[in-house]
Amino acid sequence: MSEILSAFSIAFDLIVSLDRELIEIIRRTFLVSLSAVAIATLIGLPAGAVLAVVRFPGRRALVILINALMGLPPVVVGLVIYLVLSRSGPLGFMGLMFSPTAMIVAQCVLIVPIVTALSHQVLRELYEEYREQLCSFGATLPQMILTILWDGRRNLVTSVMAGFGRAVAEVGAVLIVGGNIAGVTRVMTTTIALETSKGDLALALALGMILVVTAIALNASAFLVGDAAPARQGG
Amino acid sequence: MPSLPLSLENVSLSIGGASLIEDVSLTLHHGPRTIILGANGAGKSLILRLSHGLLGPTRGSVRWGGAERLGPLRRRQAMVFQKPIMLRRSTRANAGYGLKIAGMPRSEREARVAQVLERVGLARLAERDARVLSGGEQQKLALARAWALDPEIMFLDEPTANLDPTATAAVEAIVNEIHAGGAKIVMTTQSLSQAKRLADEVIFVHRGRVAEQTPADEFFANPRSAEAAAFLKGELAW
Amino acid sequence: MYFARRALLAVLAVLFLTLPATAQDKFITVASTTSTEQSGLFKHLLPAFTRASAIEVRVVAVGTGQAIKLGEKGDADVLLVHHKPSEEKFIAEGWGVKRLEVMYNDFVVVGPDSDPAKIKGITDVSAAFRKIAETKSTWASRGDASGTDLAEKEIWQALGIAVSKSGPEWYRELGQGMGPTLNTSAQLPAYTLSDRGTWISFKNRGPLQIVVEGDQKLFNQYGVMLVNPAKHPHVKVELGQQFIDWIVADAGQKTIADYKIEGQQLFFPNARKQGS
């Protein structure tokens, strides 16, 4: 109990004092996870749209597979990325091990299935609704895909933020491929794991609170931007 | 290359083993307003979708101006659905969407959209989200969107089924105006009174078959098929 | 809307453009153990080296077993670990160039203050281990092939007491680092072996306290090795060697001796004078 109480006061002190190291870590955390989300969005949304619109053999099996991959264990992803990026691995020559880039790659692998599967679900429903009208207009496949992506944008924010939530909360994979190097690859979750290891539970919890609050703030602003998006488009 | 005459030749359609349309042959010519009449589930909407190429026949063939492939001709046709499909965009964006898909440049498009919105009476709602419009306004918007394409054929699938009498009258007036502009009208309905108001020619559909295709005056005075006669009597009794 | 989107873009721009410009161009990656990282030694030691050399040291803190694996795979330039037999094997197999001794600390046996095995104050660690086994008192083992884990297993082995992850029933293998093992031991409660540095800086002790210390067998030697560039050509030989030279020379040795928590010195430098 005392730990929970002192966690609040530590969190408060850290924020009020604008602790330099903490701010660096928060910035790095968001930099890594937002980059991962940006890349995952560029891959996941079009992939989700294609799965929703295009009929091809094996599509159902692919959808089931991607849904299953949403539950990929981060440690396994971390290990696989490690073996690939390690100096002894196939991409070792790039020297990416223990870098923020490696962490972005790992988080990307984790969340591409999430963004793809959730956006597929959103876009599938939208496409079912639009299909006949789009066919009637003689829309081409790319036109159909762009239309449902644009019209589904508000619901797609949720898919993207779900991916961000997973990326920013994840510790297993980034610990392995990032190495939790102070000042280079140390992010919020790995710091929390480290402080827990050191038995400083109050500090760990305080950091956890800060992570949760900043993540909520980012989510809220994303939804505000989404809600403010104009209904007007083209003409 | 015109879409007309449009002909169905021995067309059958089965979905999931159920035979829904059986051996339908008919030809639609430029000019008359064709009303496809029939009871619920008779197959009116399916015939409309086959004619517009939204569905392909299981057997038989559909020809547009003699060609079996619709291809770019699709863009010379337009369709309005029973439940209007509103894109999550403004009224103006919805009205211009078909033109955008067809690749019309923005400046030309804007003029055309303003014109059709004016004609269906939605100009003042142009900036509003189309999904908050009333049912009647949405159907007028769907008509405007189709009209904007200046189609050779306009298919309408029970466009007034969910509307009140005022909105129904407004929609019928717009349909007549579109027809006056030179478009071929092909419309389904289960309302005998609506058929009487609009039809130049009636195709009566019963249980997946075309019972008859007859000029309107003759159809209502003296139907050729027993099924149509029964339908007319039933409707009159009601 | 316009403003909301602009605001978001501005936030992102700030995030990306203010990337720390402080990162050194020259850096080496050192694979080391949790004990050196979590005791706070590196936070004290590395800035001193970076000031002297303008070389940034990036530490990946894992167990000795995993650190050696990182060296073999070429994912680190220098290893600073504490299990002499593993280190000598690493050199013998050609993965490392040369092993130099740097410093030592010692292990302590910690256990619940109720002391069910009645070993408090015993100075012979083997005798204490034997009593723990006889009384079947709960023992928490790291079980992660770290230097501490290997040191503990060697003591059991010398006593002829067979322990492994499958038992005996009082012997719990956790597969965790030092800190988590201490967290768990405090909860069980259980006896466990810890390096003194992690113990002193550990905050969540619960009922745990030191029960055995000072035995010669608990002496814990750290060695430093450069990963062999013949095996991994990308290894930063020059920078890595500078770090090794510094840490075994007077400057590094003195910095190690200076590191204290609550007045206690944690690590004792014992590098042999080079070239003498």
PDB file of all heavy atoms in Angstrom, chain A residues 27 31 82 86-88 98 181 184 186 196-201 228-229, chain C residues 1 15 18-19 37 58-59 70 73-75 179 183 202-204 234:
ATOM      1  N   ARG A  27      10.274  10.826 -24.563  1.00  0.00           N
ATOM      2  CA  ARG A  27      10.367  11.218 -25.965  1.00  0.00           C
ATOM      3  C   ARG A  27      10.812  10.041 -26.834  1.00  0.00           C
ATOM      4  O   ARG A  27      10.256   9.801 -27.903  1.00  0.00           O
ATOM      5  CB  ARG A  27      11.350  12.376 -26.121  1.00  0.00           C
ATOM      6  CG  ARG A  27      11.305  12.954 -27.508  1.00  0.00           C
ATOM      7  CD  ARG A  27      11.829  14.338 -27.533  1.00  0.00           C
ATOM      8  NE  ARG A  27      13.240  14.372 -27.186  1.00  0.00           N
ATOM      9  CZ  ARG A  27      13.927  15.505 -27.071  1.00  0.00           C
ATOM     10  NH1 ARG A  27      13.330  16.642 -27.230  1.00  0.00           N
ATOM     11  NH2 ARG A  27      15.187  15.482 -26.778  1.00  0.00           N
ATOM     12  N   LEU A  31       8.780   8.373 -29.815  1.00  0.00           N
ATOM     13  CA  LEU A  31       9.438   8.385 -31.115  1.00  0.00           C
ATOM     14  C   LEU A  31       9.448   6.985 -31.719  1.00  0.00           C
ATOM     15  O   LEU A  31       9.066   6.767 -32.868  1.00  0.00           O
ATOM     16  CB  LEU A  31      10.874   8.878 -30.924  1.00  0.00           C
ATOM     17  CG  LEU A  31      11.564   9.442 -32.137  1.00  0.00           C
ATOM     18  CD1 LEU A  31      10.781  10.624 -32.666  1.00  0.00           C
ATOM     19  CD2 LEU A  31      12.964   9.883 -31.742  1.00  0.00           C
ATOM     20  N   TYR A  82      15.871 -10.532 -33.270  1.00  0.00           N
ATOM     21  CA  TYR A  82      17.259 -10.582 -32.810  1.00  0.00           C
ATOM     22  C   TYR A  82      18.088 -11.484 -33.718  1.00  0.00           C
ATOM     23  O   TYR A  82      19.161 -11.100 -34.189  1.00  0.00           O
ATOM     24  CB  TYR A  82      17.336 -11.072 -31.357  1.00  0.00           C
ATOM     25  CG  TYR A  82      18.739 -11.417 -30.928  1.00  0.00           C
ATOM     26  CD1 TYR A  82      19.728 -10.429 -30.893  1.00  0.00           C
ATOM     27  CD2 TYR A  82      19.096 -12.718 -30.609  1.00  0.00           C
ATOM     28  CE1 TYR A  82      21.031 -10.735 -30.541  1.00  0.00           C
ATOM     29  CE2 TYR A  82      20.404 -13.021 -30.249  1.00  0.00           C
ATOM     30  CZ  TYR A  82      21.366 -12.038 -30.221  1.00  0.00           C
ATOM     31  OH  TYR A  82      22.652 -12.344 -29.892  1.00  0.00           O
ATOM     32  N   SER A  86      20.973  -9.773 -35.711  1.00  0.00           N
ATOM     33  CA  SER A  86      22.266 -10.031 -35.075  1.00  0.00           C
ATOM     34  C   SER A  86      23.377 -10.008 -36.116  1.00  0.00           C
ATOM     35  O   SER A  86      23.168 -10.326 -37.282  1.00  0.00           O
ATOM     36  CB  SER A  86      22.236 -11.401 -34.388  1.00  0.00           C
ATOM     37  OG  SER A  86      23.543 -11.790 -34.063  1.00  0.00           O
ATOM     38  N   ARG A  87      24.567  -9.616 -35.646  1.00  0.00           N
ATOM     39  CA  ARG A  87      25.728  -9.592 -36.559  1.00  0.00           C
ATOM     40  C   ARG A  87      25.911 -10.926 -37.259  1.00  0.00           C
ATOM     41  O   ARG A  87      26.457 -10.996 -38.357  1.00  0.00           O
ATOM     42  CB  ARG A  87      26.986  -9.250 -35.772  1.00  0.00           C
ATOM     43  CG  ARG A  87      27.057  -7.790 -35.375  1.00  0.00           C
ATOM     44  CD  ARG A  87      27.289  -6.911 -36.574  1.00  0.00           C
ATOM     45  NE  ARG A  87      27.480  -5.523 -36.163  1.00  0.00           N
ATOM     46  CZ  ARG A  87      27.859  -4.564 -37.004  1.00  0.00           C
ATOM     47  NH1 ARG A  87      28.043  -4.826 -38.275  1.00  0.00           N
ATOM     48  NH2 ARG A  87      28.022  -3.340 -36.561  1.00  0.00           N
ATOM     49  N   SER A  88      25.493 -12.007 -36.598  1.00  0.00           N
ATOM     50  CA  SER A  88      25.628 -13.333 -37.216  1.00  0.00           C
ATOM     51  C   SER A  88      24.394 -13.690 -38.026  1.00  0.00           C
ATOM     52  O   SER A  88      24.331 -14.758 -38.623  1.00  0.00           O
ATOM     53  CB  SER A  88      25.839 -14.393 -36.132  1.00  0.00           C
ATOM     54  OG  SER A  88      26.866 -14.000 -35.267  1.00  0.00           O
ATOM     55  N   PHE A  98      20.537  -3.532 -31.207  1.00  0.00           N
ATOM     56  CA  PHE A  98      20.597  -2.618 -30.057  1.00  0.00           C
ATOM     57  C   PHE A  98      20.462  -1.149 -30.476  1.00  0.00           C
ATOM     58  O   PHE A  98      21.129  -0.277 -29.933  1.00  0.00           O
ATOM     59  CB  PHE A  98      21.886  -2.823 -29.253  1.00  0.00           C
ATOM     60  CG  PHE A  98      22.039  -4.224 -28.743  1.00  0.00           C
ATOM     61  CD1 PHE A  98      23.232  -4.910 -28.893  1.00  0.00           C
ATOM     62  CD2 PHE A  98      20.981  -4.862 -28.116  1.00  0.00           C
ATOM     63  CE1 PHE A  98      23.366  -6.206 -28.422  1.00  0.00           C
ATOM     64  CE2 PHE A  98      21.117  -6.161 -27.641  1.00  0.00           C
ATOM     65  CZ  PHE A  98      22.311  -6.835 -27.798  1.00  0.00           C
ATOM     66  N   ILE A 181      19.616  -0.045 -23.394  1.00  0.00           N
ATOM     67  CA  ILE A 181      20.839   0.730 -23.191  1.00  0.00           C
ATOM     68  C   ILE A 181      20.462   2.144 -22.751  1.00  0.00           C
ATOM     69  O   ILE A 181      19.693   2.823 -23.435  1.00  0.00           O
ATOM     70  CB  ILE A 181      21.665   0.796 -24.499  1.00  0.00           C
ATOM     71  CG1 ILE A 181      22.085  -0.608 -24.908  1.00  0.00           C
ATOM     72  CG2 ILE A 181      22.882   1.705 -24.311  1.00  0.00           C
ATOM     73  CD1 ILE A 181      22.723  -0.682 -26.272  1.00  0.00           C
ATOM     74  N   VAL A 184      20.048   5.356 -25.076  1.00  0.00           N
ATOM     75  CA  VAL A 184      20.005   4.973 -26.492  1.00  0.00           C
ATOM     76  C   VAL A 184      18.719   4.204 -26.802  1.00  0.00           C
ATOM     77  O   VAL A 184      17.965   4.578 -27.701  1.00  0.00           O
ATOM     78  CB  VAL A 184      21.221   4.114 -26.887  1.00  0.00           C
ATOM     79  CG1 VAL A 184      21.160   3.759 -28.372  1.00  0.00           C
ATOM     80  CG2 VAL A 184      22.506   4.845 -26.567  1.00  0.00           C
ATOM     81  N   ARG A 186      16.657   2.886 -24.112  1.00  0.00           N
ATOM     82  CA  ARG A 186      15.844   2.716 -22.905  1.00  0.00           C
ATOM     83  C   ARG A 186      14.540   3.477 -23.065  1.00  0.00           C
ATOM     84  O   ARG A 186      14.538   4.678 -23.280  1.00  0.00           O
ATOM     85  CB  ARG A 186      16.610   3.203 -21.679  1.00  0.00           C
ATOM     86  CG  ARG A 186      15.872   2.938 -20.365  1.00  0.00           C
ATOM     87  CD  ARG A 186      16.789   3.010 -19.176  1.00  0.00           C
ATOM     88  NE  ARG A 186      17.794   1.954 -19.237  1.00  0.00           N
ATOM     89  CZ  ARG A 186      18.818   1.865 -18.405  1.00  0.00           C
ATOM     90  NH1 ARG A 186      18.977   2.780 -17.462  1.00  0.00           N
ATOM     91  NH2 ARG A 186      19.685   0.878 -18.521  1.00  0.00           N
ATOM     92  N   THR A 196      11.763  -2.307 -11.484  1.00  0.00           N
ATOM     93  CA  THR A 196      11.146  -3.417 -10.753  1.00  0.00           C
ATOM     94  C   THR A 196      12.218  -4.418 -10.332  1.00  0.00           C
ATOM     95  O   THR A 196      12.234  -4.903  -9.203  1.00  0.00           O
ATOM     96  CB  THR A 196      10.084  -4.109 -11.627  1.00  0.00           C
ATOM     97  OG1 THR A 196       9.170  -3.125 -12.088  1.00  0.00           O
ATOM     98  CG2 THR A 196       9.331  -5.168 -10.855  1.00  0.00           C
ATOM     99  N   SER A 197      13.162  -4.700 -11.253  1.00  0.00           N
ATOM    100  CA  SER A 197      14.262  -5.620 -10.933  1.00  0.00           C
ATOM    101  C   SER A 197      15.071  -5.111  -9.757  1.00  0.00           C
ATOM    102  O   SER A 197      15.574  -5.886  -8.955  1.00  0.00           O
ATOM    103  CB  SER A 197      15.211  -5.783 -12.118  1.00  0.00           C
ATOM    104  OG  SER A 197      14.521  -6.176 -13.233  1.00  0.00           O
ATOM    105  N   LYS A 198      15.220  -3.792  -9.715  1.00  0.00           N
ATOM    106  CA  LYS A 198      16.024  -3.230  -8.643  1.00  0.00           C
ATOM    107  C   LYS A 198      15.238  -3.139  -7.344  1.00  0.00           C
ATOM    108  O   LYS A 198      15.766  -2.669  -6.335  1.00  0.00           O
ATOM    109  CB  LYS A 198      16.531  -1.833  -9.038  1.00  0.00           C
ATOM    110  CG  LYS A 198      17.658  -1.908 -10.061  1.00  0.00           C
ATOM    111  CD  LYS A 198      17.769  -0.671 -10.904  1.00  0.00           C
ATOM    112  CE  LYS A 198      18.513   0.453 -10.250  1.00  0.00           C
ATOM    113  NZ  LYS A 198      18.749   1.552 -11.233  1.00  0.00           N
ATOM    114  N   GLY A 199      13.994  -3.590  -7.380  1.00  0.00           N
ATOM    115  CA  GLY A 199      13.187  -3.599  -6.178  1.00  0.00           C
ATOM    116  C   GLY A 199      12.624  -2.235  -5.850  1.00  0.00           C
ATOM    117  O   GLY A 199      12.035  -2.045  -4.797  1.00  0.00           O
ATOM    118  N   ASP A 200      12.802  -1.253  -6.771  1.00  0.00           N
ATOM    119  CA  ASP A 200      12.261   0.077  -6.496  1.00  0.00           C
ATOM    120  C   ASP A 200      10.847   0.134  -7.063  1.00  0.00           C
ATOM    121  O   ASP A 200      10.593   0.737  -8.103  1.00  0.00           O
ATOM    122  CB  ASP A 200      13.156   1.143  -7.130  1.00  0.00           C
ATOM    123  CG  ASP A 200      12.924   2.496  -6.479  1.00  0.00           C
ATOM    124  OD1 ASP A 200      11.853   2.668  -5.870  1.00  0.00           O
ATOM    125  OD2 ASP A 200      13.817   3.356  -6.590  1.00  0.00           O
ATOM    126  N   LEU A 201       9.936  -0.525  -6.353  1.00  0.00           N
ATOM    127  CA  LEU A 201       8.593  -0.701  -6.889  1.00  0.00           C
ATOM    128  C   LEU A 201       7.848   0.626  -7.010  1.00  0.00           C
ATOM    129  O   LEU A 201       7.074   0.826  -7.933  1.00  0.00           O
ATOM    130  CB  LEU A 201       7.796  -1.673  -6.009  1.00  0.00           C
ATOM    131  CG  LEU A 201       8.463  -3.029  -5.791  1.00  0.00           C
ATOM    132  CD1 LEU A 201       7.513  -3.975  -5.085  1.00  0.00           C
ATOM    133  CD2 LEU A 201       8.922  -3.639  -7.110  1.00  0.00           C
ATOM    134  N   ALA A 228     -12.860  15.970 -35.469  1.00  0.00           N
ATOM    135  CA  ALA A 228     -12.930  17.275 -36.102  1.00  0.00           C
ATOM    136  C   ALA A 228     -12.777  17.165 -37.616  1.00  0.00           C
ATOM    137  O   ALA A 228     -12.943  18.140 -38.324  1.00  0.00           O
ATOM    138  CB  ALA A 228     -11.853  18.184 -35.530  1.00  0.00           C
ATOM    139  N   ALA A 229     -12.462  15.947 -38.089  1.00  0.00           N
ATOM    140  CA  ALA A 229     -12.241  15.777 -39.527  1.00  0.00           C
ATOM    141  C   ALA A 229     -13.500  16.180 -40.282  1.00  0.00           C
ATOM    142  O   ALA A 229     -14.614  15.915 -39.844  1.00  0.00           O
ATOM    143  CB  ALA A 229     -11.883  14.327 -39.828  1.00  0.00           C
TER     144      ALA A 229
ATOM    145  N   MET C   1     -10.694  21.856 -36.911  1.00  0.00           N
ATOM    146  CA  MET C   1     -10.048  20.714 -37.558  1.00  0.00           C
ATOM    147  C   MET C   1      -8.676  21.092 -38.065  1.00  0.00           C
ATOM    148  O   MET C   1      -7.668  20.501 -37.741  1.00  0.00           O
ATOM    149  CB  MET C   1     -10.944  20.283 -38.726  1.00  0.00           C
ATOM    150  CG  MET C   1     -10.225  19.409 -39.719  1.00  0.00           C
ATOM    151  SD  MET C   1      -9.521  17.992 -38.896  1.00  0.00           S
ATOM    152  CE  MET C   1      -8.082  17.734 -39.900  1.00  0.00           C
ATOM    153  N   LEU C  15       8.939  16.351 -31.739  1.00  0.00           N
ATOM    154  CA  LEU C  15       9.459  15.049 -31.311  1.00  0.00           C
ATOM    155  C   LEU C  15      10.662  14.628 -32.148  1.00  0.00           C
ATOM    156  O   LEU C  15      11.682  14.197 -31.638  1.00  0.00           O
ATOM    157  CB  LEU C  15       8.368  13.995 -31.469  1.00  0.00           C
ATOM    158  CG  LEU C  15       7.560  13.667 -30.222  1.00  0.00           C
ATOM    159  CD1 LEU C  15       6.451  12.694 -30.579  1.00  0.00           C
ATOM    160  CD2 LEU C  15       8.448  13.053 -29.156  1.00  0.00           C
ATOM    161  N   THR C  18      13.956  17.354 -32.373  1.00  0.00           N
ATOM    162  CA  THR C  18      14.781  17.586 -31.198  1.00  0.00           C
ATOM    163  C   THR C  18      15.459  16.308 -30.732  1.00  0.00           C
ATOM    164  O   THR C  18      15.815  16.165 -29.587  1.00  0.00           O
ATOM    165  CB  THR C  18      13.944  18.153 -30.042  1.00  0.00           C
ATOM    166  OG1 THR C  18      12.878  17.245 -29.786  1.00  0.00           O
ATOM    167  CG2 THR C  18      13.391  19.516 -30.373  1.00  0.00           C
ATOM    168  N   LEU C  19      15.576  15.358 -31.626  1.00  0.00           N
ATOM    169  CA  LEU C  19      16.325  14.135 -31.324  1.00  0.00           C
ATOM    170  C   LEU C  19      17.648  14.520 -30.658  1.00  0.00           C
ATOM    171  O   LEU C  19      18.319  15.442 -31.107  1.00  0.00           O
ATOM    172  CB  LEU C  19      16.636  13.384 -32.625  1.00  0.00           C
ATOM    173  CG  LEU C  19      15.701  12.258 -32.977  1.00  0.00           C
ATOM    174  CD1 LEU C  19      16.101  11.674 -34.314  1.00  0.00           C
ATOM    175  CD2 LEU C  19      15.714  11.205 -31.909  1.00  0.00           C
ATOM    176  N   GLU C  37      25.235  -3.211 -13.870  1.00  0.00           N
ATOM    177  CA  GLU C  37      24.289  -2.174 -14.262  1.00  0.00           C
ATOM    178  C   GLU C  37      23.390  -1.772 -13.100  1.00  0.00           C
ATOM    179  O   GLU C  37      23.252  -0.601 -12.776  1.00  0.00           O
ATOM    180  CB  GLU C  37      23.428  -2.693 -15.437  1.00  0.00           C
ATOM    181  CG  GLU C  37      22.207  -1.860 -15.739  1.00  0.00           C
ATOM    182  CD  GLU C  37      22.462  -0.781 -16.766  1.00  0.00           C
ATOM    183  OE1 GLU C  37      23.635  -0.608 -17.147  1.00  0.00           O
ATOM    184  OE2 GLU C  37      21.495  -0.114 -17.175  1.00  0.00           O
ATOM    185  N   ARG C  58      27.818   1.873 -24.741  1.00  0.00           N
ATOM    186  CA  ARG C  58      26.437   1.408 -24.678  1.00  0.00           C
ATOM    187  C   ARG C  58      26.425   0.037 -24.019  1.00  0.00           C
ATOM    188  O   ARG C  58      26.984  -0.914 -24.561  1.00  0.00           O
ATOM    189  CB  ARG C  58      25.834   1.330 -26.071  1.00  0.00           C
ATOM    190  CG  ARG C  58      25.799   2.689 -26.721  1.00  0.00           C
ATOM    191  CD  ARG C  58      25.124   2.649 -28.062  1.00  0.00           C
ATOM    192  NE  ARG C  58      25.002   4.009 -28.568  1.00  0.00           N
ATOM    193  CZ  ARG C  58      24.473   4.301 -29.754  1.00  0.00           C
ATOM    194  NH1 ARG C  58      24.028   3.333 -30.529  1.00  0.00           N
ATOM    195  NH2 ARG C  58      24.396   5.546 -30.146  1.00  0.00           N
ATOM    196  N   VAL C  59      25.788  -0.045 -22.865  1.00  0.00           N
ATOM    197  CA  VAL C  59      25.820  -1.278 -22.096  1.00  0.00           C
ATOM    198  C   VAL C  59      24.532  -2.061 -22.292  1.00  0.00           C
ATOM    199  O   VAL C  59      23.444  -1.532 -22.114  1.00  0.00           O
ATOM    200  CB  VAL C  59      26.004  -0.969 -20.599  1.00  0.00           C
ATOM    201  CG1 VAL C  59      25.931  -2.266 -19.793  1.00  0.00           C
ATOM    202  CG2 VAL C  59      27.319  -0.259 -20.364  1.00  0.00           C
ATOM    203  N   LEU C  70      26.105 -13.124 -26.711  1.00  0.00           N
ATOM    204  CA  LEU C  70      26.132 -11.895 -27.521  1.00  0.00           C
ATOM    205  C   LEU C  70      27.514 -11.693 -28.129  1.00  0.00           C
ATOM    206  O   LEU C  70      27.648 -11.293 -29.287  1.00  0.00           O
ATOM    207  CB  LEU C  70      25.765 -10.668 -26.669  1.00  0.00           C
ATOM    208  CG  LEU C  70      24.304 -10.529 -26.239  1.00  0.00           C
ATOM    209  CD1 LEU C  70      24.129  -9.298 -25.353  1.00  0.00           C
ATOM    210  CD2 LEU C  70      23.396 -10.431 -27.449  1.00  0.00           C
ATOM    211  N   LYS C  73      28.051 -14.089 -31.012  1.00  0.00           N
ATOM    212  CA  LYS C  73      27.309 -13.712 -32.209  1.00  0.00           C
ATOM    213  C   LYS C  73      27.817 -12.410 -32.810  1.00  0.00           C
ATOM    214  O   LYS C  73      27.365 -11.993 -33.874  1.00  0.00           O
ATOM    215  CB  LYS C  73      25.818 -13.567 -31.871  1.00  0.00           C
ATOM    216  CG  LYS C  73      25.128 -14.912 -31.707  1.00  0.00           C
ATOM    217  CD  LYS C  73      23.630 -14.732 -31.738  1.00  0.00           C
ATOM    218  CE  LYS C  73      22.896 -16.031 -31.933  1.00  0.00           C
ATOM    219  NZ  LYS C  73      23.004 -16.546 -33.312  1.00  0.00           N
ATOM    220  N   GLY C  74      28.714 -11.745 -32.087  1.00  0.00           N
ATOM    221  CA  GLY C  74      29.270 -10.503 -32.624  1.00  0.00           C
ATOM    222  C   GLY C  74      28.416  -9.290 -32.374  1.00  0.00           C
ATOM    223  O   GLY C  74      28.583  -8.268 -33.024  1.00  0.00           O
ATOM    224  N   ASP C  75      27.502  -9.379 -31.416  1.00  0.00           N
ATOM    225  CA  ASP C  75      26.626  -8.247 -31.155  1.00  0.00           C
ATOM    226  C   ASP C  75      27.160  -7.314 -30.075  1.00  0.00           C
ATOM    227  O   ASP C  75      26.461  -6.412 -29.630  1.00  0.00           O
ATOM    228  CB  ASP C  75      25.228  -8.748 -30.787  1.00  0.00           C
ATOM    229  CG  ASP C  75      24.573  -9.428 -31.968  1.00  0.00           C
ATOM    230  OD1 ASP C  75      24.689  -8.889 -33.087  1.00  0.00           O
ATOM    231  OD2 ASP C  75      23.981 -10.505 -31.811  1.00  0.00           O
ATOM    232  N   GLY C 179      17.654  -8.991  -9.522  1.00  0.00           N
ATOM    233  CA  GLY C 179      16.610  -8.202  -8.876  1.00  0.00           C
ATOM    234  C   GLY C 179      15.305  -8.979  -8.729  1.00  0.00           C
ATOM    235  O   GLY C 179      14.779  -9.116  -7.622  1.00  0.00           O
ATOM    236  N   ASN C 183      13.251 -10.065  -5.416  1.00  0.00           N
ATOM    237  CA  ASN C 183      11.826  -9.767  -5.213  1.00  0.00           C
ATOM    238  C   ASN C 183      11.065 -11.026  -4.838  1.00  0.00           C
ATOM    239  O   ASN C 183      10.248 -11.035  -3.920  1.00  0.00           O
ATOM    240  CB  ASN C 183      11.217  -9.195  -6.511  1.00  0.00           C
ATOM    241  CG  ASN C 183      11.420  -7.693  -6.640  1.00  0.00           C
ATOM    242  OD1 ASN C 183      11.502  -6.988  -5.635  1.00  0.00           O
ATOM    243  ND2 ASN C 183      11.526  -7.219  -7.861  1.00  0.00           N
ATOM    244  N   PHE C 202      19.452  -2.763  -3.560  1.00  0.00           N
ATOM    245  CA  PHE C 202      18.095  -3.318  -3.709  1.00  0.00           C
ATOM    246  C   PHE C 202      17.163  -2.740  -2.658  1.00  0.00           C
ATOM    247  O   PHE C 202      17.499  -2.669  -1.480  1.00  0.00           O
ATOM    248  CB  PHE C 202      18.149  -4.840  -3.599  1.00  0.00           C
ATOM    249  CG  PHE C 202      16.840  -5.510  -3.904  1.00  0.00           C
ATOM    250  CD1 PHE C 202      16.371  -5.577  -5.196  1.00  0.00           C
ATOM    251  CD2 PHE C 202      16.072  -6.061  -2.886  1.00  0.00           C
ATOM    252  CE1 PHE C 202      15.171  -6.186  -5.491  1.00  0.00           C
ATOM    253  CE2 PHE C 202      14.864  -6.667  -3.169  1.00  0.00           C
ATOM    254  CZ  PHE C 202      14.415  -6.735  -4.472  1.00  0.00           C
ATOM    255  N   LYS C 203      15.963  -2.333  -3.090  1.00  0.00           N
ATOM    256  CA  LYS C 203      15.113  -1.584  -2.173  1.00  0.00           C
ATOM    257  C   LYS C 203      13.952  -2.372  -1.565  1.00  0.00           C
ATOM    258  O   LYS C 203      13.389  -1.958  -0.575  1.00  0.00           O
ATOM    259  CB  LYS C 203      14.539  -0.364  -2.910  1.00  0.00           C
ATOM    260  CG  LYS C 203      15.637   0.565  -3.404  1.00  0.00           C
ATOM    261  CD  LYS C 203      15.232   2.004  -3.324  1.00  0.00           C
ATOM    262  CE  LYS C 203      16.408   2.926  -3.556  1.00  0.00           C
ATOM    263  NZ  LYS C 203      16.430   3.503  -4.903  1.00  0.00           N
ATOM    264  N   ASN C 204      13.588  -3.478  -2.193  1.00  0.00           N
ATOM    265  CA  ASN C 204      12.374  -4.187  -1.758  1.00  0.00           C
ATOM    266  C   ASN C 204      12.741  -5.433  -0.944  1.00  0.00           C
ATOM    267  O   ASN C 204      12.389  -6.542  -1.300  1.00  0.00           O
ATOM    268  CB  ASN C 204      11.546  -4.564  -3.002  1.00  0.00           C
ATOM    269  CG  ASN C 204      10.219  -5.188  -2.644  1.00  0.00           C
ATOM    270  OD1 ASN C 204       9.579  -4.813  -1.668  1.00  0.00           O
ATOM    271  ND2 ASN C 204       9.803  -6.165  -3.440  1.00  0.00           N
ATOM    272  N   HIS C 234      33.659  -6.599 -37.885  1.00  0.00           N
ATOM    273  CA  HIS C 234      33.110  -5.273 -37.605  1.00  0.00           C
ATOM    274  C   HIS C 234      33.408  -4.813 -36.189  1.00  0.00           C
ATOM    275  O   HIS C 234      33.087  -3.700 -35.822  1.00  0.00           O
ATOM    276  CB  HIS C 234      31.602  -5.297 -37.814  1.00  0.00           C
ATOM    277  CG  HIS C 234      30.933  -6.250 -36.873  1.00  0.00           C
ATOM    278  ND1 HIS C 234      30.719  -7.553 -37.198  1.00  0.00           N
ATOM    279  CD2 HIS C 234      30.518  -6.104 -35.604  1.00  0.00           C
ATOM    280  CE1 HIS C 234      30.166  -8.176 -36.168  1.00  0.00           C
ATOM    281  NE2 HIS C 234      30.036  -7.320 -35.179  1.00  0.00           N
TER     282      HIS C 234
END
